[in-house]
Amino acid sequence: MIRYEGPKGGPGMREMYTSMKLLYGRGLALQTAVVTDGRFSGTNKGCFVGHVSPEAAEGGPLAAVRNGDRITIDIPRRTLHLEVSDEEIQARLASWQRPPLRFTSGYLALYARLAESADQGAIIRHRG
């Protein structure tokens, strides 16, 4: 799982190309599933799930995942399920703190603060 790569966390939904190519180069691309709030191009092989929304940087479900957790990917139903109780997920998210922004000034900092979630187009909407 790769988190904090969505519109706000990246910022800008960086391409997960390098991670996928590293798995491929080690012969693991067809044995390893990758789940991320980042994005993928069409050049990858294997099982990968991207654009997870809401993203981890907004306290989305990926923010609750811990090392060793199991995640079920149901491709026909287009669902992910974190194999942890709802109570545990809520407790984890209640203690979660947003990581510091990677950029504190400039256009990327502005985008990281104002961008919509990936499922809303990852755009800055006029809030007038």
Side-chain angles (χ1 to χ4, degrees):
M1 190 198 54
I2 305 170
R3 62 179 146 209
Y4 301 115
E5 295 297 340
K8 292 178 181 292
M13 295 191 75
R14 295 186 292 187
E15 168 64 46
M16 299 290 101
Y17 175 86
T18 302
S19 302
M20 295 301 291
K21 296 307 176 197
L22 286 170
L23 288 171
Y24 185 74
R26 293 181 178 206
L28 299 172
L30 300 179
Q31 302 169 25
T32 306
V34 177
V35 177
T36 183
D37 47 12
R39 69 180 175 87
F40 295 101
S41 69
T43 65
N44 296 304
K45 293 182 179 180
C47 181
F48 52 95
V49 179
H51 299 213
V52 174
S53 297
E55 67 179 286
E58 289 195 319
L62 294 185
V65 179
R66 301 289 181 260
N67 286 343
D69 288 347
R70 294 176 132 308
I71 298 173
T72 300
I73 302 170
D74 187 332
I75 295 170
R77 291 191 176 118
R78 300 175 52 111
T79 61
L80 296 173
H81 180 72
L82 177 58
E83 302 293 337
V84 175
S85 72
D86 291 339
E87 294 80 15
E88 177 64 19
I89 292 171
Q90 293 307 315
R92 291 177 183 185
L93 291 175
S95 65
W96 173 82
Q97 293 183 3
R98 181 185 308 267
L101 293 175
R102 292 181 181 175
F103 298 92
T104 57
S105 64
Y107 290 113
L108 287 176
L110 179 67
Y111 181 81
R113 285 195 318 271
L114 300 176
E116 297 285 342
S117 187
D119 65 332
Q120 300 297 311
I123 62 171
I124 296 175
R125 295 195 191 276
H126 175 65
R127 302 181 200 280

